[in-house]
Amino acid sequence: MVVEPAPLPEATLRPPYPFSAIVGQDAMRRALLVAAVDPAVGGVLVFGDRGTGKSTAVRALAALLPPMRAVAGCAYSCDPVEAASLCPACAARRGQGLAVETVPVPVVDLPLGATEDRVVGALDIGRALGAGERAFEPGLLARANRGFLYIDEVNLLEDHLVDLLLDVAASGVNTVEREGLSLRHPARFVLVGSGNPEEGELRPQLLDRFGLAVTVTTPTDLPTRIAIVRRRDAYERDPVAFAAEWAGEEARLQGRILAARAQWPEVVVPDAVLEAAARLCLALGTDGLRGELTLMRTARALASLESAATVTLDHLREVAPSALSHRLRRNPLDEAGSEARIARALAETLA
């Protein structure tokens, strides 16, 4: 007798909402696309009202990203080309030749209630009890290597997990010392966080680790609200048909990402644009040089997305709010918001 497998639940078969079908929220979509082109930008923080598409956009990006080549069977999806970033197991087998497979870019959720063991990894209890082996069970950081680590309500994350993420984000390596285990494995990922500022502020140390920060708001114009509701209703009624309708746009957008990844190293940043970025950061009083570096990287990635060979002042104007808004010191004598201060500084320095 043949037993038919149980049908998969409907949620498993439901495709994610297409990224290209998102209405409005241009700053958020641009920031996520920039991070997809150049992960060195440093991650994206999305703050705003509930129900404005923050989680939808991040999960839609996961389906949009082109697949990547990885060492077959590796728990960390090591890049077979970059020898310096291989995990110890892959490095030991490199001389014998590494089998390669194509896998989706990982987009891993880090839930607020996650334990430290689940995040960094721990002793594999099953193998320890069953076979007497001391083996490592990789955690969420291992799964996120070479991909995206998404934290919803990031401003509510527990302090000890924030400290852990700061260490790993800075080094790109997760070090595990517990239960007789001592190992290091690659953990390079793009950090994406979302949250509602009404529920608490983000620690300054973690805020500084995000390359880009955008604020999303509820649309106030009637046509945009109608378009959002109409598309979401169509998706809820028939997700498969809706995804098929937008498949062409998704393919074109994926092609743009691939072309931009190939082009961005060759995009030229003229001295005049670099000088303008430095003058802007000086006018705003940003700490350190991360402001200029992020401006340059973000503008270059945006230019490559637009198939431009040279970064212009217009690119700089477009990315300045997302690259600098979270780096400004609070000025008790200036009640204007960060984006208003940036717009004023842009008008003064790039006139």
Side-chain angles (χ1 to χ4, degrees):
M1 178 173 112
V2 178
V3 179
E4 294 292 334
L8 292 172
E10 185 178 352
T12 304
L13 299 174
R14 185 159 115 160
Y17 192 89
F19 190 88
S20 52
I22 296 173
V23 179
Q25 309 300 12
D26 294 337
M28 174 177 64
R29 292 190 294 124
R30 181 171 57 239
L32 290 173
L33 289 174
V34 162
V37 171
D38 181 11
V41 163
V44 180
L45 176 65
V46 185
F47 258 9
D49 304 331
R50 300 182 188 89
T52 49
K54 300 186 297 293
S55 301
T56 298
V58 175
R59 293 184 170 90
L61 180 68
L64 179 66
L65 294 172
M68 64 182 188
R69 288 164 56 83
V71 176
C74 177
Y76 315 109
S77 299
C78 284
D79 187 343
V81 177
E82 295 187 12
S85 65
L86 294 175
C87 68
C90 291
R93 294 186 288 113
R94 185 166 178 263
Q96 305 167 4
L98 297 171
V100 178
E101 62 182 351
T102 301
V103 298
V105 174
V107 179
V108 178
D109 282 325
L110 195 159
L112 289 180
T115 63
E116 188 170 332
D117 283 353
R118 185 180 178 193
V119 175
V120 302
L123 180 69
D124 189 333
I125 300 298
R127 290 176 64 180
L129 295 177
E133 298 178 359
R134 184 174 293 166
F136 177 63
E137 183 175 3
L140 297 177
L141 297 182
R143 288 174 48 200
N145 187 42
R146 300 182 64 205
F148 291 73
L149 184 66
Y150 175 54
I151 311 171
D152 196 9
E153 306 296 345
V154 64
N155 47 324
L156 303 181
L157 196 65
E158 295 181 16
D159 285 347
H160 72 282
L161 291 181
V162 170
D163 294 335
L164 190 155
L165 285 175
L166 287 173
D167 290 341
V168 176
S171 65
V173 176
N174 180 32
T175 302
V176 183
E177 300 277 355
R178 57 181 59 202
E179 290 124 6
L181 290 172
S182 178
L183 60 89
R184 292 158 55 90
H185 70 75
R188 297 187 181 276
F189 47 79
V190 176
L191 193 59
V192 179
S194 65
N196 186 342
E198 295 178 357
E199 297 174 349
E201 295 185 352
L202 200 63
R203 278 178 54 181
Q205 298 92 328
L206 186 57
L207 182 63
D208 188 55
R209 280 295 163 190
F210 287 97
L212 305 175
V214 296
T215 300
V216 294
T217 57
T218 304
T220 55
D221 60 298
L222 190 61
T224 299
R225 295 175 76 104
I226 291 174
I228 292 172
V229 173
R230 181 177 287 122
R231 289 187 187 180
R232 189 70 200 192
D233 178 61
Y235 171 74
E236 296 291 346
R237 285 187 287 108
D238 194 340
V240 175
F242 187 81
E245 180 184 347
W246 285 90
E249 288 295 326
E250 291 285 275
R252 280 188 284 275
L253 189 52
Q254 187 181 88
R256 279 183 62 197
I257 293 174
L258 284 170
R261 285 179 176 178
Q263 180 185 352
W264 79 260
E266 308 300 327
V267 173
V268 177
V269 181
D271 290 343
V273 173
L274 187 55
E275 180 183 336
R279 283 194 283 115
L280 178 62
C281 291
L282 278 172
L284 291 168
T286 58
D287 292 327
L289 296 175
R290 279 188 180 159
E292 285 95 329
L293 288 170
T294 304
L295 272 175
M296 181 183 66
R297 288 169 177 157
T298 308
R300 181 186 283 129
L302 179 62
S304 65
L305 277 167
E306 296 177 355
S307 301
T310 304
V311 174
T312 67
L313 291 179
D314 286 337
H315 293 131
L316 203 65
R317 290 187 182 94
E318 280 191 67
V319 302
S322 59
L324 300 178
S325 61
H326 57 306
R327 304 181 192 279
L328 303 189
R329 298 176 186 174
R330 290 184 178 179
N331 186 352
L333 301 179
D334 190 347
E335 296 182 357
S338 59
E339 293 194 5
R341 290 169 60 189
I342 291 171
R344 189 171 61 211
L346 282 169
E348 293 172 353
T349 59
L350 306 186

